[in-house]
Short mmCIF file of all heavy atoms in Angstrom, two decimals:
data_model
loop_
_atom_site.label_atom_id
_atom_site.label_comp_id
_atom_site.label_asym_id
_atom_site.label_seq_id
_atom_site.Cartn_x
_atom_site.Cartn_y
_atom_site.Cartn_z
N LEU A 1 -65.31 28.15 -13.35
CA LEU A 1 -65.01 27.24 -14.42
C LEU A 1 -66.28 26.81 -15.17
O LEU A 1 -67.10 26.39 -14.59
CB LEU A 1 -64.26 25.99 -13.87
CG LEU A 1 -63.64 24.92 -14.81
CD1 LEU A 1 -62.45 25.70 -15.46
CD2 LEU A 1 -63.08 23.84 -13.95
N LYS A 2 -66.17 26.91 -16.51
CA LYS A 2 -67.29 26.53 -17.35
C LYS A 2 -66.98 25.28 -18.16
O LYS A 2 -67.86 24.57 -18.49
CB LYS A 2 -67.60 27.61 -18.37
CG LYS A 2 -67.93 29.00 -17.76
CD LYS A 2 -69.17 28.91 -16.88
CE LYS A 2 -69.55 30.30 -16.28
NZ LYS A 2 -70.58 30.19 -15.27
N LYS A 3 -65.76 25.17 -18.58
CA LYS A 3 -65.35 23.89 -19.44
C LYS A 3 -64.15 23.22 -18.85
O LYS A 3 -63.19 23.84 -18.56
CB LYS A 3 -65.14 24.37 -20.82
CG LYS A 3 -66.27 24.88 -21.56
CD LYS A 3 -65.87 25.43 -23.03
CE LYS A 3 -67.09 26.00 -23.67
NZ LYS A 3 -66.73 26.54 -24.98
N LEU A 4 -64.34 21.85 -18.61
CA LEU A 4 -63.09 21.05 -18.13
C LEU A 4 -63.06 19.89 -18.99
O LEU A 4 -64.00 19.02 -19.10
CB LEU A 4 -63.38 20.66 -16.72
CG LEU A 4 -62.34 19.83 -16.05
CD1 LEU A 4 -60.94 20.44 -16.06
CD2 LEU A 4 -62.75 19.46 -14.61
N ARG A 5 -61.95 19.65 -19.64
CA ARG A 5 -61.66 18.61 -20.63
C ARG A 5 -60.65 17.62 -19.88
O ARG A 5 -59.46 18.09 -19.63
CB ARG A 5 -61.20 19.02 -21.90
CG ARG A 5 -62.30 19.97 -22.61
CD ARG A 5 -61.93 20.20 -23.96
NE ARG A 5 -62.97 21.16 -24.51
CZ ARG A 5 -64.18 20.82 -24.86
NH1 ARG A 5 -64.64 19.73 -24.88
NH2 ARG A 5 -64.96 21.79 -25.44
N LEU A 6 -61.07 16.38 -19.59
CA LEU A 6 -60.21 15.45 -18.91
C LEU A 6 -60.19 14.09 -19.74
O LEU A 6 -59.89 12.99 -19.28
CB LEU A 6 -60.58 15.15 -17.48
CG LEU A 6 -60.47 16.30 -16.55
CD1 LEU A 6 -61.16 15.99 -15.25
CD2 LEU A 6 -59.09 16.61 -16.27
N ASN A 7 -60.41 14.20 -21.10
CA ASN A 7 -60.48 12.99 -21.90
C ASN A 7 -59.17 12.45 -22.21
O ASN A 7 -58.18 13.08 -22.04
CB ASN A 7 -61.26 13.31 -23.21
CG ASN A 7 -60.74 14.62 -23.86
OD1 ASN A 7 -60.71 15.59 -23.20
ND2 ASN A 7 -60.45 14.44 -25.14
N HIS A 8 -59.15 11.21 -22.59
CA HIS A 8 -57.94 10.42 -22.85
C HIS A 8 -57.00 10.34 -21.72
O HIS A 8 -55.78 10.64 -21.83
CB HIS A 8 -57.23 10.98 -24.10
CG HIS A 8 -57.93 10.67 -25.43
ND1 HIS A 8 -57.72 9.48 -26.07
CD2 HIS A 8 -58.96 11.43 -26.05
CE1 HIS A 8 -58.59 9.47 -27.13
NE2 HIS A 8 -59.15 10.64 -27.17
N ASN A 9 -57.50 10.11 -20.54
CA ASN A 9 -56.74 9.92 -19.28
C ASN A 9 -56.80 8.51 -18.73
O ASN A 9 -57.19 7.61 -19.54
CB ASN A 9 -56.94 11.07 -18.31
CG ASN A 9 -56.24 12.37 -18.64
OD1 ASN A 9 -54.98 12.51 -18.67
ND2 ASN A 9 -57.05 13.50 -18.99
N ARG A 10 -56.60 8.40 -17.44
CA ARG A 10 -56.67 6.97 -16.92
C ARG A 10 -57.65 6.78 -15.76
O ARG A 10 -57.44 6.11 -14.85
CB ARG A 10 -55.31 6.66 -16.44
CG ARG A 10 -54.34 6.57 -17.54
CD ARG A 10 -52.84 6.34 -17.08
NE ARG A 10 -51.96 6.15 -18.12
CZ ARG A 10 -50.71 5.94 -18.02
NH1 ARG A 10 -50.13 5.87 -16.76
NH2 ARG A 10 -49.95 5.78 -19.08
N PHE A 11 -58.76 7.62 -15.77
CA PHE A 11 -59.82 7.49 -14.73
C PHE A 11 -60.56 6.14 -14.95
O PHE A 11 -60.82 5.79 -15.98
CB PHE A 11 -60.83 8.61 -14.88
CG PHE A 11 -60.16 10.00 -14.54
CD1 PHE A 11 -60.06 10.97 -15.57
CD2 PHE A 11 -59.72 10.30 -13.21
CE1 PHE A 11 -59.57 12.25 -15.20
CE2 PHE A 11 -59.16 11.46 -12.94
CZ PHE A 11 -59.02 12.46 -14.01
N GLU A 12 -60.83 5.57 -13.81
CA GLU A 12 -61.62 4.21 -13.78
C GLU A 12 -62.86 4.42 -12.92
O GLU A 12 -63.27 5.58 -12.53
CB GLU A 12 -60.71 3.19 -13.39
CG GLU A 12 -59.49 2.97 -14.16
CD GLU A 12 -58.62 1.80 -13.74
OE1 GLU A 12 -59.09 1.04 -12.92
OE2 GLU A 12 -57.42 1.84 -14.23
N GLU A 13 -63.46 3.39 -12.58
CA GLU A 13 -64.71 3.35 -11.91
C GLU A 13 -64.72 4.18 -10.60
O GLU A 13 -65.68 4.83 -10.19
CB GLU A 13 -65.30 1.86 -11.68
CG GLU A 13 -66.58 1.82 -11.06
CD GLU A 13 -67.03 0.30 -10.80
OE1 GLU A 13 -66.90 -0.44 -11.77
OE2 GLU A 13 -67.45 0.02 -9.73
N SER A 14 -63.74 3.90 -9.79
CA SER A 14 -63.59 4.70 -8.51
C SER A 14 -63.65 6.16 -8.64
O SER A 14 -64.23 6.91 -7.86
CB SER A 14 -62.42 4.22 -7.69
OG SER A 14 -61.29 4.49 -8.41
N ALA A 15 -63.12 6.62 -9.76
CA ALA A 15 -63.20 8.09 -10.03
C ALA A 15 -64.61 8.58 -10.45
O ALA A 15 -64.94 9.72 -9.99
CB ALA A 15 -62.29 8.54 -11.16
N ALA A 16 -65.30 7.62 -11.00
CA ALA A 16 -66.77 7.97 -11.42
C ALA A 16 -67.54 8.37 -10.19
O ALA A 16 -68.51 9.24 -10.33
CB ALA A 16 -67.45 6.87 -12.17
N VAL A 17 -67.25 7.76 -9.09
CA VAL A 17 -67.98 8.09 -7.76
C VAL A 17 -67.82 9.49 -7.43
O VAL A 17 -68.84 10.31 -7.21
CB VAL A 17 -67.48 7.20 -6.66
CG1 VAL A 17 -68.26 7.58 -5.31
CG2 VAL A 17 -67.83 5.80 -6.92
N PHE A 18 -66.68 10.09 -7.59
CA PHE A 18 -66.38 11.49 -7.21
C PHE A 18 -66.88 12.42 -8.30
O PHE A 18 -67.44 13.52 -8.06
CB PHE A 18 -64.98 11.73 -7.10
CG PHE A 18 -64.33 10.97 -5.90
CD1 PHE A 18 -63.64 9.82 -6.08
CD2 PHE A 18 -64.53 11.55 -4.59
CE1 PHE A 18 -63.02 9.10 -4.96
CE2 PHE A 18 -63.98 10.87 -3.49
CZ PHE A 18 -63.30 9.61 -3.60
N PHE A 19 -66.85 12.05 -9.58
CA PHE A 19 -67.39 12.91 -10.65
C PHE A 19 -68.92 12.89 -10.56
O PHE A 19 -69.52 14.01 -10.79
CB PHE A 19 -66.88 12.42 -11.98
CG PHE A 19 -65.52 12.79 -12.25
CD1 PHE A 19 -64.53 11.84 -12.47
CD2 PHE A 19 -65.19 14.16 -12.41
CE1 PHE A 19 -63.18 12.16 -12.77
CE2 PHE A 19 -63.69 14.49 -12.66
CZ PHE A 19 -62.84 13.54 -12.81
N LYS A 20 -69.47 11.73 -10.22
CA LYS A 20 -71.02 11.81 -9.97
C LYS A 20 -71.43 12.82 -9.00
O LYS A 20 -72.23 13.61 -9.12
CB LYS A 20 -71.49 10.40 -9.64
CG LYS A 20 -72.88 10.27 -9.19
CD LYS A 20 -73.43 9.07 -8.48
CE LYS A 20 -74.77 9.05 -8.05
NZ LYS A 20 -75.18 7.87 -7.35
N GLY A 21 -70.79 12.78 -7.75
CA GLY A 21 -70.93 13.80 -6.77
C GLY A 21 -70.75 15.23 -7.16
O GLY A 21 -71.61 16.05 -6.79
N ALA A 22 -69.70 15.39 -7.92
CA ALA A 22 -69.48 16.72 -8.51
C ALA A 22 -70.50 17.29 -9.42
O ALA A 22 -70.94 18.27 -9.42
CB ALA A 22 -68.13 16.83 -9.08
N LEU A 23 -71.01 16.43 -10.24
CA LEU A 23 -72.14 16.67 -11.18
C LEU A 23 -73.28 17.08 -10.47
O LEU A 23 -74.02 17.98 -10.89
CB LEU A 23 -72.32 15.51 -12.14
CG LEU A 23 -71.27 15.31 -13.26
CD1 LEU A 23 -71.48 13.91 -13.94
CD2 LEU A 23 -71.32 16.42 -14.30
N MET A 24 -73.60 16.36 -9.38
CA MET A 24 -74.87 16.69 -8.65
C MET A 24 -74.72 18.03 -7.86
O MET A 24 -75.84 18.55 -7.73
CB MET A 24 -75.05 15.47 -7.69
CG MET A 24 -75.34 14.14 -8.36
SD MET A 24 -75.42 12.70 -7.24
CE MET A 24 -76.91 13.10 -6.40
N GLU A 25 -73.60 18.39 -7.59
CA GLU A 25 -73.46 19.60 -6.78
C GLU A 25 -73.07 20.79 -7.43
O GLU A 25 -73.29 21.97 -7.04
CB GLU A 25 -72.61 19.29 -5.54
CG GLU A 25 -73.08 18.35 -4.58
CD GLU A 25 -72.19 18.16 -3.33
OE1 GLU A 25 -71.90 19.26 -2.67
OE2 GLU A 25 -71.74 17.05 -3.07
N ASN A 26 -72.37 20.66 -8.51
CA ASN A 26 -71.85 21.93 -9.31
C ASN A 26 -72.87 22.61 -9.94
O ASN A 26 -73.79 22.06 -10.51
CB ASN A 26 -70.89 21.42 -10.36
CG ASN A 26 -70.10 22.54 -11.06
OD1 ASN A 26 -70.90 23.23 -11.96
ND2 ASN A 26 -68.97 22.96 -10.69
N GLU A 27 -72.94 23.95 -9.84
CA GLU A 27 -73.93 24.87 -10.45
C GLU A 27 -73.42 25.75 -11.51
O GLU A 27 -74.17 26.73 -11.93
CB GLU A 27 -74.63 25.60 -9.35
CG GLU A 27 -75.38 24.81 -8.30
CD GLU A 27 -75.95 25.55 -7.24
OE1 GLU A 27 -75.75 26.79 -7.25
OE2 GLU A 27 -76.60 24.90 -6.34
N SER A 28 -72.21 25.58 -11.89
CA SER A 28 -71.70 26.47 -12.98
C SER A 28 -71.06 25.75 -14.14
O SER A 28 -71.02 26.48 -15.27
CB SER A 28 -70.54 27.49 -12.33
OG SER A 28 -69.61 26.62 -11.78
N LEU A 29 -70.51 24.59 -14.08
CA LEU A 29 -70.04 23.92 -15.19
C LEU A 29 -70.95 23.63 -16.33
O LEU A 29 -72.03 23.24 -16.02
CB LEU A 29 -69.26 22.59 -14.65
CG LEU A 29 -68.30 21.92 -15.67
CD1 LEU A 29 -67.04 22.73 -15.75
CD2 LEU A 29 -67.93 20.46 -15.22
N GLU A 30 -70.51 23.91 -17.51
CA GLU A 30 -71.27 23.74 -18.76
C GLU A 30 -70.86 22.46 -19.53
O GLU A 30 -71.69 21.86 -20.17
CB GLU A 30 -71.36 25.00 -19.62
CG GLU A 30 -72.02 26.17 -18.86
CD GLU A 30 -71.86 27.42 -19.65
OE1 GLU A 30 -71.27 27.42 -20.69
OE2 GLU A 30 -72.31 28.49 -19.03
N VAL A 31 -69.55 22.26 -19.53
CA VAL A 31 -69.08 21.10 -20.47
C VAL A 31 -68.10 20.38 -19.48
O VAL A 31 -67.12 20.93 -18.90
CB VAL A 31 -68.30 21.69 -21.65
CG1 VAL A 31 -67.61 20.53 -22.37
CG2 VAL A 31 -69.22 22.41 -22.48
N LEU A 32 -68.17 19.07 -19.48
CA LEU A 32 -67.28 18.09 -18.88
C LEU A 32 -66.98 17.04 -19.84
O LEU A 32 -67.94 16.30 -20.12
CB LEU A 32 -67.81 17.53 -17.56
CG LEU A 32 -66.91 16.57 -16.85
CD1 LEU A 32 -65.52 17.11 -16.39
CD2 LEU A 32 -67.70 16.10 -15.64
N ASP A 33 -65.74 16.92 -20.35
CA ASP A 33 -65.37 15.84 -21.29
C ASP A 33 -64.52 14.83 -20.51
O ASP A 33 -63.35 15.06 -20.03
CB ASP A 33 -64.65 16.43 -22.41
CG ASP A 33 -64.36 15.48 -23.50
OD1 ASP A 33 -64.58 14.24 -23.36
OD2 ASP A 33 -64.03 15.87 -24.60
N LEU A 34 -65.16 13.63 -20.33
CA LEU A 34 -64.44 12.46 -19.67
C LEU A 34 -64.33 11.42 -20.64
O LEU A 34 -64.14 10.25 -20.18
CB LEU A 34 -65.19 12.08 -18.44
CG LEU A 34 -65.32 13.12 -17.33
CD1 LEU A 34 -66.34 12.68 -16.24
CD2 LEU A 34 -63.92 13.24 -16.65
#
């Protein structure tokens, strides 16, 4: 996966914790739209 668009949804602060971890570990994603 290179591009993942999840904009205009209902993610809140608790989801940011998981996305932070994913950003730190993922080595292939180029675009993430939150």
Side-chain angles (χ1 to χ4, degrees):
L1 191 64
K2 303 296 182 193
K3 296 179 183 178
L4 178 60
R5 300 188 186 282
L6 295 168
N7 47 310
H8 288 275
N9 279 295
R10 296 177 175 175
F11 293 114
E12 298 182 15
E13 184 180 311
S14 60
V17 175
F18 293 100
F19 284 115
K20 173 188 174 180
L23 286 168
M24 293 172 72
E25 295 185 53
N26 183 281
E27 297 179 355
S28 59
L29 195 70
E30 296 173 0
V31 174
L32 177 62
D33 191 345
L34 295 168

